[in-house]
């Protein structure tokens, strides 16, 4: 439904030549980010071997990107609204490509990690722009179709990613995993400048929350450093923990005091929004840790090539590509409580099945069942979780809610990649020893299982569905959660 201020004919029809160019631009941009998220893990063992790096370097190769992305993604959305969505999107694509180029030519681990952090900044500028360009440029009646095409084509990119990454690592080399982004950017930027109209939010005002962004990113960085380096027992680790906690407290204080905070505290007045974000932290920590370690297990312990390890991930992605839309429709019919409980439990079962994957593991007998069950869990979980986040706040704050939830998912993955090796007893050189890594991998999968089960229990305890029909139309932020349920008249008078 369109508002009176926004007639259905406003904007560019998706069937027009310009509409197709806009869709191509957004798909290319989002594909760059999606490919990076799926292909880099496959390359980690070869990166460690080529750069003679220990496990901490592999962790930082993933986390340097996640750190800057999670810390700045909300700022990226604000910049797009203020200075122009096309302008910031193009800047993000160029920045991301330059960071990718630096990763591809990095002579040592230090340069690679720094370049990954730069990539994350580009991703924070790029990621909010894809859907924002569709929302601002495509005719209102066509947006649903445009978003469906964007999601489907982006899903194809995500499905191809692990296979393509493995082929590149085994063929031209791991550096091409990063260099692949450069030609994509070379196509995306001129198309965007020529065919995508500029747009901005005329209501955007106030100063940017630079202090909040800096405090949040610094706190995350220090905690991540402490988790990765905790095995050393150096005094710097204790200092990092203390400073990280203090900066985290300062971040909360600043956000509560600023008139225009990056993360408005009052959005957490919705108990459903708070509950779903806590579920997100649990399940995405487990997801991030699972996929970080599984590709290492397959290559280090089971003897798979990078191509075979990447291809092993395909069932999970293909299931999500084929069934996520139906899962979203089912979630709308039955409510979020069952999907948000069953999904993590299926993922936990898939994680436990990975305990069967050891030396000389059979793909059909050992790996495939785990990937299929994990994929079905993600199908049940992801779409209902996203729609519940958007439904838990006023429609005018849907973009902010989505951004906060996206950041929460990135933070969860960041902390999981930092903490799991420590919790499972992986030493700096464990990934070079099949026996040591296999033992630690089993312990790590139990931690991931626990996180999935915690997310399921939290969803079951805090999310209620369906919402009672007697409720006031705007009561979903109260009646969709328990603890304790309120009668409509008591809440709304």
């Amino acid at each position: 439904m369109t508002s009176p201020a926004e007639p259905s004919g406003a904007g560019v029809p998706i069937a027009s030549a310009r509409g197709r160019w806009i869709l191509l631009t957004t798909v290319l941009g989002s594909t760059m980010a999606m490919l990076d998220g799926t292909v880099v893990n496959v390359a980690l063992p070869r990166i460690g071997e080529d750069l003679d790096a220990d496990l901490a370097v592999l962790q930082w190769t993933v986390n340097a990107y996640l750190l800057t992305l999670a810390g700045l993604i909300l700022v990226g959305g604000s910049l797009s609204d203020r200075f122009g969505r096309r302008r910031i999107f193009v800047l993000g694509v160029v920045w991301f490509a330059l960071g990718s180029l630096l990763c591809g030519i990095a002579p040592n681990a230090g340069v690679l990690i720094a370049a990954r952090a730069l990539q994350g900044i580009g991703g924070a500028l790029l990621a909010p722009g894809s859907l924002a360009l569709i929302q601002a440029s495509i005719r209102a009646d066509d947006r649903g179709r445009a978003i469906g095409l964007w999601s489907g084509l982006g899903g194809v990119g995500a499905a191809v990613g692990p296979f393509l990454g493995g082929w590149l690592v085994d063929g031209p080399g791991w550096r091409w995993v990063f260099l692949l982004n450069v030609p994509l950017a070379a196509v995306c930027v001129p198309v965007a400048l020529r065919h995508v109209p500029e747009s901005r939010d005329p209501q955007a005002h106030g100063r940017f929350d630079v202090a909040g962004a800096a405090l949040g990113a610094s706190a995350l960085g220090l905690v991540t450093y402490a988790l990765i380096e905790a095995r050393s027992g150096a005094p710097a680790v204790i200092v990092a923990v203390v400073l990280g906690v203090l900066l985290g407290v300062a971040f909360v204080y600043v956000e509560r005091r600023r008139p225009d905070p990056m993360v408005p505290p009052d959005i957490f007045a919705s108990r459903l929004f708070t509950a779903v974000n806590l579920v997100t932290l649990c399940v995405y920590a487990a997801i991030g840790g699972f996929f970080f370690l599984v590709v290492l297990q397959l290559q280090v312990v089971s003897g798979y090539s990078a191509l075979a390890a990447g291809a092993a991930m395909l069932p999970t992605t293909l299931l999500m590509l084929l069934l996520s839309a139906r899962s979203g429709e089912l979630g709308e019919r039955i409510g979020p409580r069952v999907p948000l409980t069953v999904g993590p439990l299926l993922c936990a079962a898939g994680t436990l099945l990975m305990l069967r994957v050891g030396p000389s593991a059979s793909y059909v007998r050992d790996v495939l069942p785990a990937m299929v069950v994990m994929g079905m869990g993600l199908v049940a979980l992801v779409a209902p979780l996203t729609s519940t986040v958007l439904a838990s706040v006023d429609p005018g704050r849907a973009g902010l809610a989505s951004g906060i939830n996206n950041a929460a998912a990135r933070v969860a993955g960041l902390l999981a990649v930092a903490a799991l090796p420590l919790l499972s007893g992986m030493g700096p050189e464990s990934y070079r020893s099949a026996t040591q890594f296999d033992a630690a991998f089993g312990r790590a999968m139990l931690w991931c299982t626990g996180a999935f089960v915690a997310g399921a229990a939290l969803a079951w305890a805090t999310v209620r569905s369906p919402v009672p029909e007697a409720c006031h139309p705007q009561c979903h932020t109260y009646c969709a959660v328990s603890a304790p349920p309120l009668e409509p008249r008591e809440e709304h008078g």
Side-chain angles (χ1 to χ4, degrees):
M1 181 179 293
T2 57
S3 65
E6 184 184 55
S8 62
V12 180
I14 188 63
S16 67
R18 196 174 198 187
R20 290 192 290 269
W21 282 116
I22 293 170
L23 181 63
L24 174 64
T25 301
T26 59
V27 168
L28 284 173
S30 62
T31 297
M32 290 173 63
M34 287 183 180
L35 281 175
D36 190 85
T38 56
V39 303
V40 172
N41 283 359
V42 177
L44 290 176
R46 203 64 59 83
I47 291 173
E49 178 184 334
D50 190 39
L51 299 181
D52 192 25
D54 62 12
L55 182 62
V57 170
L58 304 189
Q59 291 173 273
W60 277 116
T61 300
V62 175
N63 277 351
Y65 174 80
L66 290 176
L67 178 61
T68 50
L69 178 62
L72 299 175
I73 193 167
L74 292 176
V75 175
S78 298
L79 288 170
S80 295
D81 290 340
R82 178 82 64 84
F83 294 114
R85 299 181 177 101
R86 185 188 68 179
R87 177 182 298 174
I88 300 302
F89 175 82
V90 169
L91 176 61
V93 170
V94 173
W95 195 310
F96 193 92
L98 290 175
S100 300
L101 178 61
L102 288 174
C103 289
I105 63 175
N108 54 54
V111 174
L112 175 62
I113 292 168
R116 287 286 284 163
L118 290 175
Q119 255 194 317
I121 297 173
L125 298 174
L126 159 67
S130 293
L131 279 176
L133 287 175
I134 291 176
Q135 183 73 17
S137 304
I138 298 298
R139 188 174 63 183
D141 287 349
D142 288 344
R143 284 178 197 155
R145 182 183 172 207
I147 291 172
L149 289 169
W150 172 85
S151 177
L153 293 171
V156 171
V160 171
F163 182 84
L164 178 61
W167 178 79
L168 289 171
V169 171
D170 285 341
W174 65 264
R175 295 179 184 276
W176 283 94
V177 167
F178 300 105
L179 296 175
L180 177 67
N181 291 318
V182 177
L184 289 176
V187 175
C188 183
V189 169
V191 171
L193 293 175
R194 181 175 177 83
H195 297 286
V196 178
E198 184 60 281
S199 64
R200 52 178 54 86
D201 181 4
Q203 305 300 321
H205 62 278
R207 297 180 179 178
F208 292 109
D209 188 6
V210 177
L215 287 169
S218 298
L220 281 174
L222 287 166
V223 172
T224 301
Y225 169 82
L227 289 170
I228 292 176
E229 301 296 332
R231 306 179 198 88
S232 68
V237 172
I238 304 300
V239 174
V241 170
V242 173
L243 285 178
V245 172
L246 290 176
L247 290 178
V249 172
F251 170 78
V252 174
Y253 178 82
V254 167
E255 296 303 280
R256 291 176 63 88
R257 296 282 178 167
R258 283 186 64 90
D260 48 358
M262 181 175 71
V263 182
D266 65 317
I267 197 171
F268 293 98
S270 164
R271 283 180 278 177
L272 179 57
F273 180 76
T274 302
V276 174
N277 275 285
L278 291 174
V279 173
T280 297
L281 287 172
C282 291
V283 299
Y284 274 89
I287 291 169
F290 178 87
F291 285 105
F292 171 69
L293 293 175
V294 163
V295 289
L296 289 171
Q297 175 77 357
L298 291 175
Q299 294 178 71
V300 172
V301 177
S302 301
Y304 284 34
S305 67
L307 177 59
M313 306 290 110
L314 284 176
T316 298
T317 310
L318 289 175
L319 284 170
M320 291 190 66
L321 178 62
L322 295 173
L323 301 177
S324 286
R326 294 182 181 180
S327 172
E329 293 171 358
L330 178 64
E332 289 180 358
R333 289 201 301 269
I334 67 175
R337 189 187 191 191
V338 171
L340 295 186
T341 302
V342 172
L345 291 178
L346 283 173
C347 290
T351 304
L352 289 176
L353 285 173
M354 279 302 300
L355 294 174
R356 301 168 56 194
V357 177
S360 303
S362 164
Y363 178 74
V364 173
R365 185 183 66 248
D366 301 319
V367 181
L368 182 60
M371 289 300 164
V372 169
V373 174
M374 173 63 70
M376 293 305 298
L378 293 177
V379 165
L381 165 69
V382 173
L385 186 147
T386 302
S387 61
T388 305
V389 166
L390 297 178
S392 66
V393 298
D394 293 334
R397 307 187 88 179
L400 174 64
S402 177
I404 291 174
N405 186 253
N406 195 318
R410 308 285 186 174
V411 168
L414 168 74
L415 296 177
V417 172
L420 267 180
L422 175 65
L423 294 173
S424 59
M426 290 185 185
E429 303 296 327
S430 290
Y431 82 97
R432 300 182 191 275
S433 167
T435 303
Q436 292 180 23
F437 193 88
D438 189 35
F441 176 81
R443 293 189 290 268
M445 289 301 98
L446 294 178
W447 280 103
C448 290
T449 300
F452 278 128
V453 171
L458 189 59
W460 183 259
T462 59
V463 179
R464 295 177 60 199
S465 61
V467 178
E469 293 183 2
C471 288
H472 187 281
Q474 296 180 352
C475 192
H476 65 270
T477 58
Y478 296 94
C479 296
V481 294
S482 58
L486 299 173
E487 293 295 329
R489 288 185 180 180
E490 293 178 351
E491 176 60 30
H492 298 293

